[in-house]
Amino acid sequence: YRPFFFFFFFFLSQTPWLWNTRQCWNGYPYQPLMPDLHYYYIVELSFYWSLMFSQFIDIKRKDFGIMFTHHIVTVTLITFSYVTNLTRVGTLTLCLHDAADVVLEAAKMANYCKCQKLSDLLFLTFAIVFIVSRLGIYPLWILNTTLFELYEALGNFPALWVFNVLLVILQILHCFWSYLIIKAAYKAISKGKVAKDDRSDIESSSDEEETVPRSKTLHSTITTNGTGGSNGTNGYLTGGTCSEEH
């Protein structure tokens, strides 16, 4: 799934609405559905449906409800924007979210290859990209065009409010996961230790933190949506010894 990000970003780089969000509403709702845009939606929707179902067979964590809410909101947003032909801004939203996840997957691969320093560097890169994209670009770019530019161009209509409520819920989740990332990074940098996943491996596990000393390397845990995780399943980044990290 992740390699498709580069193909779809190349597709978006040739569209006028990537550089000018007001183009998202030019001619709406009579905007042709391009084949590449259609395939982008199909790939993304299938991916998030798979995450929704795999969560039930994965290790249950404290933020199970929040993760499930995220998947429900995402699937609803993708479906709703497709049905109402809000696909232009939908592709921008999907691309922005995928940008951080690509770095996360690279960090996981580096950990699997036991390239600890590279994994640490990629984790820090992921944290920066996640926070900048989800707390900076997302509200200033996506929410700005859906809350203000869309209203100015087309006026008020029911789909506008449904769409914006779902997008604002995503922003609230971004703030929660950014807090966990910053907290994990701060502990790792200040203490030089691996902090236990704030969410814990299972719902009934102890909340007491477990730390593993180390000398130089940074070990932190995050998921595909920015939360922490201590098991390498369902996209979770694993913290381990100095030679092993997700």
Side-chain angles (χ1 to χ4, degrees), residues 41-96:
Y41 260 72
I42 294 300
V43 171
E44 292 279 357
L45 184 60
S46 60
F47 172 70
Y48 282 104
W49 268 114
S50 69
L51 285 184
M52 187 184 302
F53 287 112
S54 64
Q55 189 176 14
F56 290 97
I57 60 176
D58 191 19
I59 296 174
K60 192 172 183 181
R61 301 174 185 275
K62 286 184 176 180
D63 72 339
F64 176 88
I66 295 175
M67 288 294 295
F68 188 69
T69 300
H70 171 269
H71 299 332
I72 288 290
V73 171
T74 303
V75 168
T76 304
L77 264 173
I78 294 174
T79 305
F80 184 80
S81 62
Y82 187 89
V83 171
T84 57
N85 206 26
L86 294 166
T87 51
R88 292 187 177 183
V89 72
T91 55
L92 297 182
T93 306
L94 291 170
C95 186
L96 182 64

Side-chain angles (χ1 to χ4, degrees), residues 230-244:
S230 58
N231 287 280
T233 58
N234 193 26
Y236 289 91
L237 181 60
T238 307
T241 61
C242 62
S243 62
E244 197 177 300

Side-chain angles (χ1 to χ4, degrees), residues 6-68:
F6 299 100
F7 170 77
F8 292 129
F9 180 78
F10 176 74
F11 157 69
L12 282 177
S13 67
Q14 302 179 68
T15 62
W17 61 85
L18 176 66
W19 314 108
N20 181 7
T21 54
R22 291 184 181 274
Q23 290 294 322
C24 291
W25 322 118
N26 186 27
Y28 181 84
Y30 305 105
Q31 298 172 340
L33 181 64
M34 293 176 284
D36 289 340
L37 192 153
H38 169 74
Y39 296 138
Y40 193 5
Y41 260 72
I42 294 300
V43 171
E44 292 279 357
L45 184 60
S46 60
F47 172 70
Y48 282 104
W49 268 114
S50 69
L51 285 184
M52 187 184 302
F53 287 112
S54 64
Q55 189 176 14
F56 290 97
I57 60 176
D58 191 19
I59 296 174
K60 192 172 183 181
R61 301 174 185 275
K62 286 184 176 180
D63 72 339
F64 176 88
I66 295 175
M67 288 294 295
F68 188 69

Side-chain angles (χ1 to χ4, degrees), residues 105-116 118-120 122 245-246:
E105 299 300 329
K108 292 195 291 182
M109 288 189 291
N111 173 71
Y112 294 149
C113 296
K114 299 183 179 180
C115 300
Q116 187 57 59
L118 178 60
S119 182
D120 293 341
L122 288 170
E245 184 178 341
H246 177 215

Side-chain angles (χ1 to χ4, degrees), residues 12 18 30 67 90 113 120-121 124-125 139 171 175 178 181 191 203 237:
L12 282 177
L18 176 66
Y30 305 105
M67 288 294 295
C113 296
D120 293 341
L121 177 62
L124 291 176
T125 303
Q171 181 59 42
C175 295
S178 295
I181 291 175
K191 299 180 181 179
E203 195 73 34
L237 181 60

